[in-house]
Amino acid sequence: MERTMDLCRELFVKLRKNELHDGDKVFLEGWVRGNRDNGSVGFIEFNDGTCFKNVQLVYTNETTGYEAISHFKYAASISVKGSIKLTPENKQPFEILVEEAAVLGDVSDDYPLQKKRHSFEFLRDIAYLRPRANTFNALYRVRNKLAFAIHLFFQERGFMYVHTPIITGNDAEGAGQCFKVVEDLKNPTEFFNANSCLTVSGQLHVEPFALAFRDTYTFGPTFRAEHSNTSRHASEFWMIEPEIAFADLEDDMNLMEEFLKFIINYVLTNCPDEMNFFNTMIEKGVIDKMNAILNSSFKRMTYTEAIEILDKAAKNGKKFEYNNIFWGMDLQSEHERYITEEVVKGPVFLINYPKEIKSFYMKLNSDNKTVAACDLLVPGVGEICGGSQREDNYDLLKTRMDEQGNTEILEWYLNLRKYGGCIHSGFGLGFDRLLMYLTGLSNIRDVQPYPRTPGSLKY
Ligand code: 4AD
Ligand code: MG
């Protein structure tokens, strides 16, 4: 099939360049997003998928087939021949005067979507139709641009993109949240070995590349068998994990800040229509919030300081669900949010966590109690990003790994410390959590095309 039709996206580009003129002929194929008429004139909100904005089609009782066109149904796919009419004084800068239109694919009466707002829960259940709903149309466009911006940032700076494996033999985080890989569901035998599982993080596999290429990153799907049924946890999510050699925690945090600002700025600049939509329909002020991030420098606070602040707040009557605050505790989301939303009122790096609550590969600080780790906390989400300087001392790492019981399976990882090792650091940014933050959508199930969460695998 030769695709000779025009695209709405290109019409908007021509308009911007003053290359769209009254009377220009167009041929479009797309979908009806609304159709109303008063007997002598009718309007179709039309979208061909190539841009977020709809285009208005106008038909009058002089248009051939007025009656049939006035019955074009919501969501039908149609073809249209017509001509451009510039309307600079109207909300839509141009419309298309229909000369001929035909239905390509009609819509049966059981079509579940209507031209009204549906609840997110309802839409989740029809994930295969969600891309047509405005919110999700905008979201998937932003998701696409954001993924591109991530590669752009790293590629412009000479980082090497590494494809780390999805099937692996180790639980990188050591938190016991791996999905097992078995060969045959009816007779579950291990295809590889007793430990084969889906990756929880590409970090351990990207570190050897950092020790050869210096600046590297991996960006791919990761899997966690966490039974936490929250709005921020998914069983499958994408993670961006840069790993940089000859770099300490400070360098790591600087990279995180520069990276985050770059991709936020990229989305604000390249998805203005979508971001305006989120700003009016989902979270009022989200654009200002993002601009504030761009213009702020991220605060740093030690874990110990955070505990002191939380303890004081609890003693002064602040009600946390987990109200027993003590040094050594793992911070709950409510604590993280209190720090970022009410104390700092912006993004903050929490650093130097007790070693007991962090992963085995993190660099032990000279106090022998804390590790050179950082979590980036942001308002509305809490932890969005976690990183650390990696333990580069062979003996210290071996001790931690012996405690963890993974020395044997990760011998190669330990060896890196005696084969020309160096100070190196990295972080992991949850792509889906970042999207929640950028769009104001408050449930991770609403930022993924096909969310996987405990008990939910419909598509
Ligand atoms: O803090 P995490 O577990 O860190 C790591 O996996 C390190 N290996 C990263 C590194 O240093 N290379 O996960 C990193 C980020 C979190 O900050 C969070 O944004 C996201 O991944 N994340 C999740 N997102 C959605 N659903 C889940 N279940 C998530 N678990 C973590
Ligand atoms: Mg973390």
Side-chain angles (χ1 to χ4, degrees):
M1 186 171 85
E2 202 184 341
R3 302 176 83 192
T4 52
M5 72 286 259
D6 297 291
L7 302 175
C8 291
R9 183 187 62 235
E10 285 167 4
L11 298 182
F12 281 107
V13 171
K14 278 189 184 165
L15 182 79
R16 267 201 303 280
K17 294 186 185 161
N18 285 325
E19 289 170 6
L20 198 67
H21 308 292
D22 275 327
D24 284 354
K25 295 290 180 201
V26 293
F27 171 54
L28 297 162
E29 291 175 329
W31 293 273
V32 175
R33 289 281 169 80
N35 188 5
R36 65 198 154 85
D37 85 296
N38 64 12
S40 58
V41 59
F43 303 95
I44 289 177
E45 282 176 65
F46 174 85
N47 192 295
D48 72 351
T50 62
C51 58
F52 180 58
K53 277 190 201 150
N54 292 332
V55 165
Q56 177 153 280
L57 310 180
V58 183
Y59 52 99
T60 69
N61 44 18
E62 277 159 34
T63 309
T64 326
Y66 178 97
E67 181 63 19
I69 297 173
S70 73
H71 288 107
F72 282 6
K73 284 188 191 157
Y74 178 66
S77 71
I78 62 171
S79 66
V80 184
K81 279 190 179 147
S83 61
I84 297 289
K85 178 162 185 274
L86 297 177
T87 52
E89 65 291 344
N90 291 355
K91 212 176 110 202
Q92 24 240 347
F94 67 91
E95 46 190 40
I96 290 167
L97 306 177
V98 178
E99 287 162 11
E100 267 175 56
V103 170
L104 302 175
D106 209 353
V107 183
S108 62
D109 290 338
D110 61 352
Y111 184 63
L113 287 173
Q114 289 162 31
K115 193 177 164 46
K116 62 161 198 176
R117 282 193 95 169
H118 295 283
S119 75
F120 287 138
E121 288 78 11
F122 173 79
L123 291 167
R124 255 172 238 156
D125 201 47
I126 47 168
Y128 74 114
L129 297 175
R130 278 201 304 190
R132 302 152 184 230
N134 266 341
T135 303
F136 293 90
N137 201 283
L139 171 82
Y140 296 135
R141 286 178 194 288
V142 171
R143 202 176 159 103
N144 165 58
K145 289 285 182 199
L146 188 61
F148 179 72
I150 285 159
H151 286 296
L152 189 63
F153 175 86
F154 289 122
Q155 293 295 327
E156 277 182 344
R157 285 160 184 76
F159 281 60
M160 170 78 63
Y161 177 35
V162 182
H163 290 126
T164 48
I166 306 259
I167 299 176
T168 169
N170 68 71
D171 170 2
E173 291 302 296
Q177 295 170 334
C178 292
F179 284 102
K180 260 189 155 333
V181 174
V182 293
E183 187 188 349
D184 176 356
L185 279 180
K186 287 197 198 96
N187 174 27
T189 46
E190 300 267 355
F191 187 85
F192 298 101
N193 64 40
N195 290 313
S196 49
C197 60
L198 298 181
T199 186
V200 297
S201 156
Q203 178 197 324
L204 303 192
H205 288 106
V206 85
E207 279 187 49
F209 283 78
L211 296 182
F213 294 101
R214 186 187 175 106
D215 292 338
T216 58
Y217 69 108
T218 179
F219 176 27
T222 50
F223 307 85
R224 304 235 173 145
E226 283 169 287
H227 285 279
S228 33
N229 219 330
T230 78
S231 57
R232 309 176 320 131
H233 288 87
S235 312
E236 176 175 333
F237 61 96
W238 280 59
M239 195 166 19
I240 303 116
E241 296 184 275
E243 193 70 30
I244 48 178
F246 308 105
D248 62 13
L249 185 66
E250 193 61 32
D251 299 315
D252 203 29
M253 289 190 285
N254 289 340
L255 177 66
M256 225 186 272
E257 181 166 346
E258 189 193 346
F259 170 61
L260 210 59
K261 286 179 176 171
F262 176 93
I263 54 184
I264 289 174
N265 186 46
Y266 187 89
V267 167
L268 289 177
T269 312
N270 289 278
C271 306
D273 297 332
E274 293 85 343
M275 287 307 294
N276 277 330
F277 174 86
F278 290 119
N279 200 43
T280 39
M281 305 301 284
I282 304 294
E283 182 185 343
K284 299 226 169 0
V286 72
I287 292 182
D288 285 346
K289 193 172 88 176
M290 291 304 140
N291 279 319
I293 302 286
L294 296 183
N295 298 319
S296 69
S297 62
F298 297 5
K299 300 276 180 310
R300 278 116 157 106
M301 183 189 286
T302 64
Y303 167 90
T304 305
E305 284 171 301
I307 289 292
E308 282 163 14
I309 289 170
L310 292 168
D311 186 44
K312 213 185 221 171
K315 287 192 174 124
N316 286 338
K318 167 83 194 165
K319 287 269 165 290
F320 294 115
E321 215 170 298
Y322 294 83
N323 225 20
N324 180 22
I325 310 289
F326 60 97
W327 197 94
M329 70 185 284
D330 208 353
L331 298 182
Q332 302 297 316
S333 176
E334 54 172 343
H335 304 131
E336 295 175 340
R337 290 184 63 168
Y338 177 77
I339 296 286
T340 173
E341 286 165 17
E342 294 180 48
V343 181
V344 177
K345 298 187 169 64
V348 54
F349 288 111
L350 277 200
I351 60 171
N352 299 340
Y353 283 78
K355 65 176 184 202
E356 287 77 15
I357 58 169
K358 286 291 184 187
S359 297
F360 68 94
Y361 50 70
M362 296 181 176
K363 171 118 192 113
L364 190 63
N365 286 323
S366 53
D367 61 10
N368 274 329
K369 289 192 329 203
T370 61
V371 285
C374 66
D375 274 2
L376 178 60
L377 312 181
V378 292
V381 178
E383 177 193 335
I384 197 167
C385 199
S388 65
Q389 188 172 326
R390 316 309 189 189
E391 185 56 80
D392 53 319
N393 177 298
Y394 181 91
D395 296 321
L396 289 176
L397 183 60
K398 182 163 186 313
T399 308
R400 289 300 303 272
M401 289 174 67
D402 287 344
E403 285 163 15
Q404 187 94 25
N406 56 8
T407 317
E408 198 181 331
I409 197 148
L410 284 174
E411 191 195 354
W412 59 269
Y413 181 74
L414 186 57
N415 284 347
L416 292 172
R417 276 67 187 167
K418 58 178 186 182
Y419 298 157
C422 69
I423 291 178
H424 63 289
S425 302
F427 65 83
L429 172 62
F431 182 70
D432 310 277
R433 291 220 185 136
L434 177 63
L435 260 174
M436 292 170 69
Y437 185 48
L438 264 169
T439 58
L441 285 164
S442 57
N443 197 311
I444 199 160
R445 293 164 182 80
D446 298 326
V447 299
Q448 300 188 316
Y450 300 101
R452 273 82 177 90
T453 50
S456 161
L457 185 71
K458 183 164 172 186
Y459 294 93

